[in-house]
Amino acid sequence: MTNPLLAPFTGPFALPPFARIGDEDFAPAFEAALAEARGHVAAIAADPEPPSFANTIEALELAEETLTRVGGVFWNLAGADSTAARQALERDLAPKLAAYSSEVTMNAGLFARIEALWQGRDGLGLTPEQARVLELYQRMFVRAGAALDEAGRKRMAAVKERLAVLSTAFSQNLLADERDWVMALDPADLAGLPGFVVAAARAAAEERGMDGHALTLNRSVVVPFLQFSPRRDLREKAYGAWVARGAGGGATDNRAIAAEILKLREERARLLGYESFAAFKLEPEMAKTPAHVRDLLMRVWEPARAKALADAAVLTGMMHRDGINGDLEPWDWRYYSERRRRAEHDLDEAALKPYFGLEAMIGAAFDTAHRLFALEFRPLDLPLYHPDVRAWEVTRNGRHIAVFLGDWFARASKRSGAWCSAMREQRRLGGEQRPVVVNVCNFARPAEGEPALLSWDDARTLFHEFGHALHQMLSDLTYSFISGTSVARDFVELPSQLYEHWLEVPEVLDAHARHVVTGAPMPAALRDRLIAARTYDQGFATVEYLASALVDLAFHDGPAPADPMAVQAAVLERLGMPHAIRMRHATPHFAHVFAGDGYSAGYYSYMWSEVMDADAFDAFLEAGDPFDAETAGRLERHILSAGGSQEADRLYTAFRGRMPGVEPMLRGRGLLEAARPSAV
């Protein structure tokens, strides 16, 4: 029987034939795809014709067609719907794919052709897009080690293979800890919990094959429990398990893995002549240097810490009035903060959630995209990789733009968090190819027959990931190497964080925030209180984020620490970390940094992008309309469709006319009073 992964996908919209793909198909498909890719790369490197953009760069762009197709399916499934077989194959593939990558980027003949093109680029008659692609290929090969001597190339390849193995192990250990921990809840343990939390606990038990109710480490389950449970002992137990992921000792402990990853990253950077991994990693980003990153983060740290300490004093007073003496603890903060929010802003999460049904928020995201970019969304009834997943065709003026897949509910087979990926990227080289884009979230699954309800934060997450999806769907470039989200790491969060702003637009809430039972719109007074409270508890949110970003920077800006946990503790002590707030992602479960290389020395990028997204939304407000057509057109033309076709600062300046200062971001977090003038 023909392997369904090895033939071009010929079904509707060229989607993968999920119903015909079995786990047993992936290993032979990767083996064949790697062999094919190696053959193509060898032929390009050995081509007797003088190097040209077409026979070298464009040929490389098409050399891995099958490998990209197979990987597009596998890596999406490995993250969103893991099985024991897929995890085993992940472990097997990690060093093999790293070795293949090194073979390509350290192929002397291939690098010689690219370098010849680079040196003669002024006489090649390249389009601006081609010139950019050539620049990035040459940069990629040099930064991968192509210019090293033979010993250096050999060691670099070994370092990358080991890093791939360690990152896979880190990710799988974290998934195991999240999957395996469960706490049964007796009827008495449910006292004081609103109905939606009880329903989420019932659904969590059902998924685990348990009777009654249970608590798991899915964020959409454990955070509401911490917000609403009056049982301090249970909050402490749940919180302890949540923050102990990856640090429980035994086979899934990630602390030694993190230390080895940091050591190898430092070696990688030093092989290339950089003084630290942060210096290496940040060079092609907007920030450029660790000093620029630290400056931005510390400008925000002091006002955020001051706000958090003031809030902690209020919450401590509330706790003492409950007869609980001593310090406010991390498992107390969310509980008392929720009570304070109800008292000060007259906002009750239990009363809010019925207005944020999942279906309504999907509709809000789609409607916003229609009003801004004239996109239409048509549901598709097709076999997909899991019964939870849904699909839509995205069109504009009758033209096919993309296929969008939404996978929103938590399950034990899915890694935590939320993300956007592409099973197929946009490009025009070799024929028009439109993307297949996937949003994956971990919202609490409703009990059978009940509607899925989101928290305000969940709704923001849905809009955030859909902003990433738009960056993929609206891409309009010839080369996939620079299409979609193939941009600087500290620019990639701009479209996603910018899109969150439309959730707060009153007319969006009026149209879509409707009660799941009655269909009535959210009362205007409730809507206004919700928007007015958007900066509530931003001291807490900003401090927990900044602490993670500053620890990440400390890990990579200098010699690798032998004991990352000691460095983490030292950084937090030096910062004066408030007692009742922990890092958003402690080292053993800091997947952004250790389960891959994407956000290593780069967790700061959410805030770097936030400086731009706050300023970018101001462009719409200055135009007098959050749906201003001319501003939306500039946003699409210079950012959403442009991918990495230019340096990020040039793209942003083309959209806005200038680079932003930090003031709009600080205002958005309620921290403006302590702002100092600055520019990214």
Side-chain angles (χ1 to χ4, degrees):
M1 181 181 292
T2 302
N3 190 313
L5 289 160
L6 292 177
F9 302 153
T10 58
F13 306 105
L15 285 173
F18 294 109
R20 296 194 293 113
I21 297 172
D23 281 353
E24 68 279 2
D25 294 317
F26 284 112
F30 271 111
E31 184 178 351
L34 278 167
E36 178 185 271
R38 282 189 169 100
H40 290 160
V41 170
I44 296 166
D47 190 341
E49 292 296 318
S52 68
F53 189 85
N55 70 18
T56 303
I57 302 300
E58 290 188 340
L60 281 172
E61 282 281 280
L62 299 174
E64 299 174 353
E65 283 276 280
T66 305
L67 184 60
T68 300
R69 183 172 68 245
V70 174
V73 179
F74 178 76
W75 296 115
N76 276 276
L77 268 60
D81 193 29
S82 67
T83 64
R86 290 169 192 169
Q87 288 194 322
L89 183 55
E90 271 190 285
R91 294 190 294 270
D92 184 56
L93 283 173
K96 291 181 179 179
L97 291 175
Y100 166 74
S101 177
S102 294
E103 286 175 28
V104 174
T105 54
M106 297 182 194
N107 183 308
L110 192 56
F111 180 57
R113 296 178 71 85
I114 293 171
E115 189 65 18
L117 292 172
W118 176 245
Q119 296 301 327
R121 60 192 179 277
D122 292 339
L124 297 177
L126 302 178
T127 67
E129 186 178 339
Q130 290 172 329
R132 175 66 170 166
V133 170
L134 175 58
E135 174 190 9
L136 293 178
Y137 262 94
Q138 194 270 350
R139 178 194 295 178
M140 176 181 71
F141 271 68
V142 170
R143 286 170 60 81
L148 296 175
D149 60 22
E150 184 177 353
R153 291 196 300 271
K154 184 176 180 180
R155 179 57 189 161
M156 180 67 80
V159 166
K160 288 182 178 179
E161 285 185 44
R162 181 61 180 162
L163 282 170
V165 170
L166 293 169
S167 294
T168 300
F170 188 100
S171 179
Q172 293 193 355
N173 288 345
L174 181 55
L175 177 61
D177 279 3
E178 292 169 346
R179 180 189 63 225
D180 294 344
W181 189 89
V182 63
M183 182 171 76
L185 297 173
D186 294 330
D189 300 336
L190 305 176
L193 297 177
F196 73 88
V197 180
V198 174
R202 185 168 67 249
E206 289 174 358
E207 188 196 8
R208 302 300 179 98
M210 301 167 57
D211 294 328
H213 300 78
L215 194 62
T216 68
L217 296 183
N218 176 264
R219 187 180 185 89
S220 291
V221 177
V222 72
V223 168
F225 184 84
L226 294 170
Q227 284 179 289
F228 292 101
S229 175
R231 289 280 302 277
R232 196 179 191 221
D233 59 329
L234 296 182
R235 295 201 311 267
E236 182 178 3
K237 183 177 180 181
Y239 186 86
W242 193 35
V243 298
R245 292 167 295 158
T252 62
D253 196 297
N254 276 332
R255 287 172 288 189
I257 292 175
E260 188 177 354
I261 287 173
L262 293 173
K263 181 179 179 181
L264 290 170
R265 284 176 178 164
E266 181 194 6
E267 182 180 0
R268 178 183 173 189
R270 292 191 181 279
L271 280 169
L272 294 169
Y274 294 87
E275 63 181 15
S276 70
F277 183 79
F280 161 72
K281 186 69 181 294
L282 293 172
E283 184 183 58
E285 309 296 337
M286 295 185 76
K288 301 301 181 188
T289 69
H292 289 156
V293 172
R294 187 173 288 106
D295 180 63
L296 171 65
L297 298 179
M298 292 308 296
R299 285 177 185 272
V300 185
W301 173 258
E302 288 304 330
R305 179 178 179 272
K307 182 74 167 61
L309 289 173
D311 290 341
V314 175
L315 301 182
T316 301
M318 294 173 63
M319 185 179 76
H320 289 173
R321 287 191 292 275
D322 278 352
I324 302 173
N325 296 320
D327 293 333
L328 184 77
E329 299 292 346
W331 49 90
D332 298 318
W333 189 292
R334 288 176 173 84
Y335 176 70
Y336 284 100
S337 181
E338 179 62 26
R339 281 177 49 181
R340 182 187 179 193
R341 186 175 76 141
R342 284 203 305 273
E344 295 185 1
H345 295 280
D346 193 19
L347 289 175
D348 182 350
E349 185 79 10
L352 278 173
K353 287 196 77 160
Y355 293 99
F356 291 102
L358 174 61
E359 298 305 313
M361 291 302 99
I362 295 170
F366 287 178
D367 183 47
T368 298
H370 174 69
R371 296 186 63 182
L372 288 169
F373 310 115
L375 298 178
E376 304 275 359
F377 298 84
R378 179 176 68 88
L380 298 173
D381 184 13
L382 297 168
L384 300 168
Y385 64 84
H386 190 278
D388 287 347
V389 187
R390 297 158 64 185
W392 289 264
E393 182 192 11
V394 186
T395 60
R396 179 158 59 186
N397 300 323
R399 174 176 173 253
H400 176 74
I401 297 294
V403 170
F404 173 68
L405 306 183
D407 183 356
W408 286 291
F409 294 129
R411 51 181 176 267
S413 63
K414 184 189 288 187
R415 65 178 170 88
S416 61
W419 64 93
C420 175
S421 59
M423 287 196 180
R424 183 173 65 239
E425 296 176 322
Q426 182 271 329
R427 72 165 196 233
R428 288 195 295 272
L429 182 67
E432 181 74 11
Q433 177 174 286
R434 299 308 305 172
V436 175
V437 186
V438 190
N439 274 180
V440 183
C441 296
N442 271 279
F443 302 143
R445 184 184 302 277
E448 187 69 30
E450 295 294 320
L453 302 180
L454 306 184
S455 67
W456 177 241
D457 284 344
D458 288 339
R460 292 179 70 90
T461 296
L462 187 148
F463 265 67
H464 178 102
E465 298 306 333
F466 195 74
H468 281 308
L470 287 172
H471 204 179
Q472 297 273 16
M473 291 189 285
L474 292 174
S475 180
D476 187 22
L477 293 158
T478 300
Y479 303 98
S480 60
F481 194 68
I482 56 170
S483 72
T485 55
S486 299
V487 299
R489 178 59 61 180
D490 48 13
F491 193 64
V492 76
E493 297 297 335
L494 169 60
S496 54
Q497 294 178 179
L498 174 58
Y499 205 66
E500 293 178 36
H501 288 268
W502 275 276
L503 180 60
E504 297 179 355
V505 172
E507 59 190 282
V508 172
L509 291 172
D510 290 346
H512 297 283
R514 293 179 172 268
H515 198 282
V516 292
V517 176
T518 68
M522 179 183 290
L526 178 59
R527 178 205 67 202
D528 293 345
R529 294 198 304 275
L530 177 65
I531 295 174
R534 65 182 178 272
T535 62
Y536 177 72
D537 217 18
Q538 277 299 305
F540 171 88
T542 307
V543 161
E544 66 163 5
Y545 162 75
L546 286 173
S548 294
L550 286 161
V551 167
D552 167 43
L553 187 63
F555 281 159
H556 296 99
D557 187 20
D563 183 356
M565 299 304 293
V567 169
Q568 174 183 299
V571 170
L572 297 181
E573 182 178 3
R574 188 166 61 248
L575 290 170
M577 185 74 170
H579 172 75
I581 305 178
R582 301 276 177 86
M583 293 169 61
R584 182 174 298 177
H585 305 290
T587 298
H589 55 262
F590 206 163
H592 281 80
V593 170
F594 294 108
D597 196 32
Y599 285 89
S600 56
Y603 194 62
Y604 77 92
S605 61
Y606 288 93
M607 182 151 286
W608 193 275
S609 292
E610 189 177 344
V611 172
M612 289 179 284
D613 80 65
D615 180 69
F617 193 69
D618 274 0
F620 287 87
L621 300 182
E622 291 164 11
D625 180 359
F627 294 97
D628 179 67
E630 195 277 330
T631 308
R634 289 203 320 272
L635 178 66
E636 179 178 353
R637 183 165 59 256
H638 296 301
I639 294 176
L640 295 178
S641 72
S645 58
Q646 297 182 53
E647 293 291 343
D649 55 353
R650 293 184 63 187
L651 293 172
Y652 190 84
T653 302
F655 163 66
R656 194 69 168 104
R658 54 165 173 73
M659 290 300 291
V662 300
E663 289 78 11
M665 180 272 290
L666 289 168
R667 183 174 66 246
R669 285 183 175 253
L671 303 171
L672 183 60
E673 62 274 8
R676 290 187 290 137
S678 175
V680 169

